[in-house]
Amino acid sequence: MGCNGDAYRKTNPIVQPWAATVTLMAYIITRAVENAGKLKAGKIDLEQAVRIPLGHSMNHFLQAIGVTGRGTGGATGNLANIREQLLRLADARVTVKEDDGVRARGKHTQIMDEWDLWFDARDPNRGSFIESYIKLTPQFFQHIVEAPIPIDLAVLRQLTKPRSMDIYIWLTVKQFWLSKNNRDSYLFTWDMMAQSFATKELKTAVGRRDFRNEIKKAIHDVQAVWPECGIEADLEGVTVTKTSPSVEKKPPRLQLD
């Protein structure tokens, strides 16, 4: 994805802005899948289906995606950082690519066609008559509809560390892949894990050890909130075993229409 959250991985009393981006993406996917069902049933058209409402105030939006707590306003507060991260997401794109050594191919897909955000970080309760919204590109909407990944916002809210969120999202995708390919389990070696998660080349034994420990701690965090997640780490790597998704039927959260 084209947005970089590393600069925003700071602790604050409400939510890390990078975490807000992950949570927002989960919210977008959830609403897009819901809209796809309405589109299929003939209740809405494509123009309505790609429109994702974000509420009439910043706090309204945060409540809708399940983020609670008090943040700090002002130009340098964490609410301003969250707002900035959302704007970065508006400029982001998804790249899908593959390379088997002979044929290399890929495609860039912009996430949003349009956005209109009325979020005042100085006064997050300040409302607007005009509702904030985003419009997904038809291509990104189609990607979501064709392969909806069951991301649980309740799990994401409990995983406050960026690496733990990384592992949860990755695990959810791999569980989907196991089910789609009729596999019971798969071993991802530590080299494979490093290709996906290492932020630098692991040249030393200490670096490789620290990386493994970091991943193991993140796996432990995920296991704490999703006990039946089907993931274990050992000397060879990380084994994912097919299990039920983390998403359960819950009372509906505030809906933004």
Side-chain angles (χ1 to χ4, degrees), residues 22-23 25-27 29-30 33 148-156 165 168-170 172-173 226 245-248 250 253:
V22 175
T23 306
M25 285 301 300
Y27 175 76
I29 291 171
T30 300
V33 172
I149 306 300
I151 297 172
D152 193 338
L153 290 174
V155 170
L156 280 177
M165 287 184 164
Y168 170 69
I169 298 293
W170 175 85
T172 301
V173 172
W226 182 12
S246 61
V247 176
E248 298 177 357
K250 301 180 178 69
R253 194 184 296 112

Side-chain angles (χ1 to χ4, degrees), residues 22-144:
V22 175
T23 306
L24 175 61
M25 285 301 300
Y27 175 76
I28 289 173
I29 291 171
T30 300
R31 291 306 303 265
V33 172
E34 292 174 355
N35 286 353
K38 295 177 183 179
L39 177 64
K40 186 176 181 180
K43 296 180 180 180
I44 58 176
D45 58 25
L46 180 60
E47 180 71 13
Q48 294 170 308
V50 298
R51 187 182 189 277
I52 309 294
L54 301 180
H56 289 272
S57 71
M58 192 166 193
N59 270 350
H60 194 197
F61 155 69
L62 294 174
Q63 181 184 359
I65 65 174
V67 174
T68 58
R70 295 184 62 83
T72 56
T76 59
N78 53 40
L79 293 180
N81 285 338
I82 292 172
R83 186 180 186 277
E84 173 63 22
Q85 197 69 1
L86 294 177
L87 293 175
R88 286 172 178 260
L89 181 60
D91 281 333
R93 67 184 183 184
V94 173
T95 299
V96 179
K97 59 184 179 180
E98 62 178 345
D99 184 354
D100 61 8
V102 177
R103 183 189 184 189
R105 61 176 181 165
K107 182 177 181 180
H108 296 307
T109 300
Q110 198 76 17
I111 294 177
M112 300 182 199
D113 252 346
E114 180 182 322
W115 59 93
D116 192 356
L117 305 179
W118 290 76
F119 290 163
D120 188 344
R122 297 163 299 182
D123 183 6
N125 286 312
R126 182 179 181 180
S128 169
F129 289 110
I130 302 175
E131 184 178 45
S132 296
Y133 70 90
I134 62 173
K135 281 188 178 180
L136 305 179
T137 62
Q139 294 84 0
F140 186 67
F141 178 77
Q142 191 62 32
H143 284 325
I144 294 174

